[in-house]
mmCIF file of all heavy atoms in Angstrom:
data_model
loop_
_atom_site.group_PDB
_atom_site.id
_atom_site.type_symbol
_atom_site.label_atom_id
_atom_site.label_comp_id
_atom_site.label_asym_id
_atom_site.label_seq_id
_atom_site.Cartn_x
_atom_site.Cartn_y
_atom_site.Cartn_z
ATOM 1 N N MET B 172 -0.754 -12.363 7.767
ATOM 2 C CA MET B 172 -1.498 -13.534 7.300
ATOM 3 C C MET B 172 -1.428 -14.696 8.290
ATOM 4 O O MET B 172 -2.031 -15.738 8.069
ATOM 5 C CB MET B 172 -0.970 -13.991 5.945
ATOM 6 C CG MET B 172 -1.148 -12.947 4.855
ATOM 7 S SD MET B 172 -0.649 -13.543 3.243
ATOM 8 C CE MET B 172 -1.159 -12.173 2.196
ATOM 9 N N ASN B 173 -0.688 -14.500 9.379
ATOM 10 C CA ASN B 173 -0.519 -15.569 10.347
ATOM 11 C C ASN B 173 -1.791 -15.790 11.155
ATOM 12 O O ASN B 173 -2.422 -14.849 11.622
ATOM 13 C CB ASN B 173 0.644 -15.218 11.292
ATOM 14 C CG ASN B 173 0.944 -16.335 12.265
ATOM 15 O OD1 ASN B 173 0.554 -17.483 12.045
ATOM 16 N ND2 ASN B 173 1.644 -16.003 13.327
ATOM 17 N N LYS B 174 -2.206 -17.026 11.294
ATOM 18 C CA LYS B 174 -3.350 -17.379 12.126
ATOM 19 C C LYS B 174 -2.930 -18.509 13.056
ATOM 20 O O LYS B 174 -2.593 -19.592 12.626
ATOM 21 C CB LYS B 174 -4.541 -17.817 11.270
ATOM 22 C CG LYS B 174 -5.800 -18.090 12.080
ATOM 23 C CD LYS B 174 -6.972 -18.429 11.190
ATOM 24 C CE LYS B 174 -8.238 -18.659 12.015
ATOM 25 N NZ LYS B 174 -9.403 -18.986 11.162
ATOM 26 N N ASN B 175 -2.953 -18.212 14.361
ATOM 27 C CA ASN B 175 -2.486 -19.184 15.340
ATOM 28 C C ASN B 175 -3.550 -20.229 15.653
ATOM 29 O O ASN B 175 -4.738 -20.023 15.430
ATOM 30 C CB ASN B 175 -2.086 -18.458 16.627
ATOM 31 C CG ASN B 175 -0.975 -17.462 16.394
ATOM 32 O OD1 ASN B 175 -0.052 -17.735 15.636
ATOM 33 N ND2 ASN B 175 -1.057 -16.319 17.041
ATOM 34 N N ASN B 176 -3.097 -21.371 16.172
ATOM 35 C CA ASN B 176 -3.975 -22.388 16.751
ATOM 36 C C ASN B 176 -5.067 -22.856 15.781
ATOM 37 O O ASN B 176 -6.262 -22.745 16.046
ATOM 38 C CB ASN B 176 -4.614 -21.865 18.035
ATOM 39 C CG ASN B 176 -3.576 -21.463 19.070
ATOM 40 O OD1 ASN B 176 -2.527 -22.086 19.160
ATOM 41 N ND2 ASN B 176 -3.871 -20.430 19.828
ATOM 42 N N ILE B 177 -4.667 -23.359 14.643
ATOM 43 C CA ILE B 177 -5.618 -23.974 13.707
ATOM 44 C C ILE B 177 -5.967 -25.357 14.247
ATOM 45 O O ILE B 177 -5.107 -26.224 14.386
ATOM 46 C CB ILE B 177 -5.001 -24.065 12.295
ATOM 47 C CG1 ILE B 177 -4.744 -22.651 11.753
ATOM 48 C CG2 ILE B 177 -5.905 -24.846 11.366
ATOM 49 C CD1 ILE B 177 -4.067 -22.626 10.407
ATOM 50 N N GLU B 178 -7.247 -25.567 14.565
ATOM 51 C CA GLU B 178 -7.671 -26.791 15.241
ATOM 52 C C GLU B 178 -8.231 -27.842 14.302
ATOM 53 O O GLU B 178 -8.235 -29.025 14.634
ATOM 54 C CB GLU B 178 -8.714 -26.447 16.308
ATOM 55 C CG GLU B 178 -8.198 -25.478 17.362
ATOM 56 C CD GLU B 178 -9.281 -25.068 18.327
ATOM 57 O OE1 GLU B 178 -10.453 -25.456 18.094
ATOM 58 O OE2 GLU B 178 -8.985 -24.370 19.317
ATOM 59 N N GLU B 179 -8.760 -27.417 13.154
ATOM 60 C CA GLU B 179 -9.381 -28.374 12.246
ATOM 61 C C GLU B 179 -9.253 -27.884 10.808
ATOM 62 O O GLU B 179 -8.974 -26.716 10.562
ATOM 63 C CB GLU B 179 -10.857 -28.572 12.609
ATOM 64 C CG GLU B 179 -11.677 -27.292 12.578
ATOM 65 C CD GLU B 179 -13.099 -27.509 13.056
ATOM 66 O OE1 GLU B 179 -13.428 -28.633 13.449
ATOM 67 O OE2 GLU B 179 -13.868 -26.537 13.011
ATOM 68 N N PHE B 180 -9.494 -28.810 9.895
ATOM 69 C CA PHE B 180 -9.420 -28.467 8.476
ATOM 70 C C PHE B 180 -10.551 -27.513 8.112
ATOM 71 O O PHE B 180 -11.716 -27.750 8.418
ATOM 72 C CB PHE B 180 -9.507 -29.738 7.628
ATOM 73 C CG PHE B 180 -9.524 -29.474 6.145
ATOM 74 C CD1 PHE B 180 -8.360 -29.144 5.473
ATOM 75 C CD2 PHE B 180 -10.715 -29.546 5.438
ATOM 76 C CE1 PHE B 180 -8.378 -28.895 4.124
ATOM 77 C CE2 PHE B 180 -10.747 -29.290 4.086
ATOM 78 C CZ PHE B 180 -9.568 -28.968 3.414
ATOM 79 N N ARG B 181 -10.197 -26.409 7.452
ATOM 80 C CA ARG B 181 -11.176 -25.418 7.044
ATOM 81 C C ARG B 181 -10.808 -24.891 5.672
ATOM 82 O O ARG B 181 -9.671 -25.024 5.221
ATOM 83 C CB ARG B 181 -11.221 -24.245 8.038
ATOM 84 C CG ARG B 181 -11.695 -24.602 9.434
ATOM 85 C CD ARG B 181 -11.658 -23.389 10.347
ATOM 86 N NE ARG B 181 -12.077 -23.702 11.696
ATOM 87 C CZ ARG B 181 -12.005 -22.852 12.718
ATOM 88 N NH1 ARG B 181 -11.505 -21.635 12.500
ATOM 89 N NH2 ARG B 181 -12.413 -23.203 13.920
ATOM 90 N N GLY B 182 -11.785 -24.256 5.053
ATOM 91 C CA GLY B 182 -11.551 -23.643 3.749
ATOM 92 C C GLY B 182 -12.459 -22.461 3.525
ATOM 93 O O GLY B 182 -13.487 -22.297 4.178
ATOM 94 N N ALA B 183 -12.061 -21.606 2.607
ATOM 95 C CA ALA B 183 -12.867 -20.446 2.214
ATOM 96 C C ALA B 183 -12.500 -20.084 0.786
ATOM 97 O O ALA B 183 -11.402 -20.375 0.308
ATOM 98 C CB ALA B 183 -12.624 -19.266 3.156
ATOM 99 N N GLY B 184 -13.451 -19.488 0.092
ATOM 100 C CA GLY B 184 -13.179 -19.099 -1.290
ATOM 101 C C GLY B 184 -14.348 -18.395 -1.917
ATOM 102 O O GLY B 184 -15.320 -18.032 -1.251
ATOM 103 N N GLY B 185 -14.232 -18.204 -3.218
ATOM 104 C CA GLY B 185 -15.291 -17.547 -3.958
ATOM 105 C C GLY B 185 -15.159 -17.805 -5.436
ATOM 106 O O GLY B 185 -14.052 -18.006 -5.957
ATOM 107 N N ILE B 186 -16.300 -17.802 -6.118
ATOM 108 C CA ILE B 186 -16.336 -17.969 -7.575
ATOM 109 C C ILE B 186 -17.061 -16.761 -8.147
ATOM 110 O O ILE B 186 -18.227 -16.513 -7.837
ATOM 111 C CB ILE B 186 -17.069 -19.264 -7.974
ATOM 112 C CG1 ILE B 186 -16.393 -20.477 -7.341
ATOM 113 C CG2 ILE B 186 -17.128 -19.406 -9.483
ATOM 114 C CD1 ILE B 186 -17.151 -21.776 -7.553
ATOM 115 N N GLY B 187 -16.330 -15.960 -8.941
ATOM 116 C CA GLY B 187 -16.901 -14.761 -9.525
ATOM 117 C C GLY B 187 -16.935 -14.819 -11.034
ATOM 118 O O GLY B 187 -16.566 -15.829 -11.638
ATOM 119 N N ILE B 188 -17.374 -13.726 -11.627
ATOM 120 C CA ILE B 188 -17.526 -13.726 -13.082
ATOM 121 C C ILE B 188 -16.217 -13.403 -13.799
ATOM 122 O O ILE B 188 -16.140 -13.542 -15.017
ATOM 123 C CB ILE B 188 -18.608 -12.722 -13.514
ATOM 124 C CG1 ILE B 188 -18.235 -11.303 -13.081
ATOM 125 C CG2 ILE B 188 -19.962 -13.127 -12.959
ATOM 126 C CD1 ILE B 188 -19.213 -10.262 -13.581
ATOM 127 N N TYR B 189 -15.184 -12.974 -13.066
ATOM 128 C CA TYR B 189 -13.905 -12.770 -13.727
ATOM 129 C C TYR B 189 -12.720 -13.328 -12.931
ATOM 130 O O TYR B 189 -11.589 -13.318 -13.427
ATOM 131 C CB TYR B 189 -13.661 -11.293 -14.041
ATOM 132 C CG TYR B 189 -13.658 -10.376 -12.839
ATOM 133 C CD1 TYR B 189 -12.529 -10.237 -12.045
ATOM 134 C CD2 TYR B 189 -14.781 -9.641 -12.521
ATOM 135 C CE1 TYR B 189 -12.522 -9.399 -10.957
ATOM 136 C CE2 TYR B 189 -14.783 -8.796 -11.436
ATOM 137 C CZ TYR B 189 -13.653 -8.670 -10.663
ATOM 138 O OH TYR B 189 -13.659 -7.833 -9.579
ATOM 139 N N ASN B 190 -12.930 -13.819 -11.712
ATOM 140 C CA ASN B 190 -11.844 -14.501 -11.009
ATOM 141 C C ASN B 190 -12.432 -15.381 -9.911
ATOM 142 O O ASN B 190 -13.572 -15.202 -9.478
ATOM 143 C CB ASN B 190 -10.845 -13.500 -10.425
ATOM 144 C CG ASN B 190 -11.328 -12.869 -9.144
ATOM 145 O OD1 ASN B 190 -12.246 -12.062 -9.143
ATOM 146 N ND2 ASN B 190 -10.697 -13.226 -8.036
#
Side-chain angles (χ1 to χ4, degrees):
M172 297 185 174
N173 184 19
K174 185 176 182 180
N175 300 320
N176 301 326
I177 296 176
E178 300 175 354
E179 58 185 3
F180 176 77
R181 295 178 181 173
I186 302 173
I188 61 175
Y189 59 82
N190 79 289

